[in-house]
Amino acid sequence: TMSHQVTKNPVIRQGWLRVLLFCCCFGIVSLLLAIPAVIIVIGTDPQQWQTRLAPVITELQAGNYLWIAILLETVISLVSVCIFRFWIDRRSFMDLGWRGLGEFRNEALTGLFIGPALLGLASVLMLLSGHLEWTDVVFDPSSLFISLGSMLLIALSEELVFRGYILG
């Protein structure tokens, strides 16, 4: 039908222009969400940023606030992709490649385990060759959980933005 055809045509046809505008939208959404979040979480006054910008950024990258920054980045990615997917591309969120996940279960599991396996193999080889030394290793389950969760959120946001939207 004609109405079905209209919803499939993007508002902007040129892919390069959509990607350029998407990057601008990502930056604007980042500013609109990140600045208030930094003010709320760290409790700094924007007037102090002129003199304290480096310490504020360093404080955000510290362990106490890193998970908040990663969570914020994931939300920014999701909001930006949704804005462009629904209003510019006029397509559903599921068209980003979520529908065929069941078909590629084996490939997904292989990809999930091959990264840590390669990193582990490289670490062992570097350790055996004397190029790596582990010192003060302490197992902390909460740190492991937070690290794995952070990696999962980073991977999700990167896949949404790059493979899901830009490369699509």
Side-chain angles (χ1 to χ4, degrees):
T1 64
M2 186 63 165
S3 64
H4 188 282
Q5 183 65 27
V6 170
T7 60
K8 291 294 181 184
N9 291 333
V11 173
I12 301 169
R13 290 190 176 274
Q14 297 86 357
W16 66 269
L17 184 57
R18 287 197 317 254
V19 169
L20 182 67
L21 291 174
F22 176 81
C23 291
C24 292
C25 174
F26 189 90
I28 291 168
V29 170
S30 295
L31 289 174
L32 291 175
L33 292 178
I35 291 174
V38 169
I39 292 169
I40 291 168
V41 171
I42 295 182
T44 59
D45 182 17
Q47 310 305 334
Q48 295 176 343
W49 287 12
Q50 292 177 345
T51 58
R52 290 196 56 226
L53 184 59
V56 167
I57 291 173
T58 304
E59 201 172 332
L60 274 177
Q61 294 173 344
N64 295 337
Y65 298 111
L66 183 61
W67 68 271
I68 294 172
I70 292 170
L71 184 62
L72 186 62
E73 183 236 346
T74 304
V75 169
I76 290 168
S77 299
L78 186 62
V79 168
S80 300
V81 168
C82 285
I83 287 171
F84 265 73
R85 200 65 183 163
F86 297 138
W87 289 302
I88 303 298
D89 294 348
R90 296 182 180 176
R91 299 191 59 185
S92 77
F93 188 74
M94 295 304 286
D95 285 343
L96 288 172
W98 298 104
R99 287 199 173 107
L101 287 178
E103 301 172 28
F104 302 105
R105 185 175 305 124
N106 293 337
E107 289 84 354
L109 288 173
T110 301
L112 181 67
F113 290 108
I114 202 162
L118 288 173
L119 288 173
L121 178 64
S123 296
V124 168
L125 289 174
M126 288 172 51
L127 182 67
L128 293 175
S129 68
H131 291 92
L132 177 66
E133 181 181 337
W134 286 318
T135 59
D136 299 331
V137 177
V138 177
F139 179 71
D140 181 13
S142 64
S143 292
L144 178 65
F145 177 73
I146 289 170
S147 296
L148 290 175
S150 297
M151 286 186 262
L152 189 68
L153 287 174
I154 290 169
L156 175 68
S157 62
E158 286 180 6
E159 290 294 323
L160 272 174
V161 170
F162 294 104
R163 191 175 309 215
Y165 189 78
I166 291 177
L167 292 178

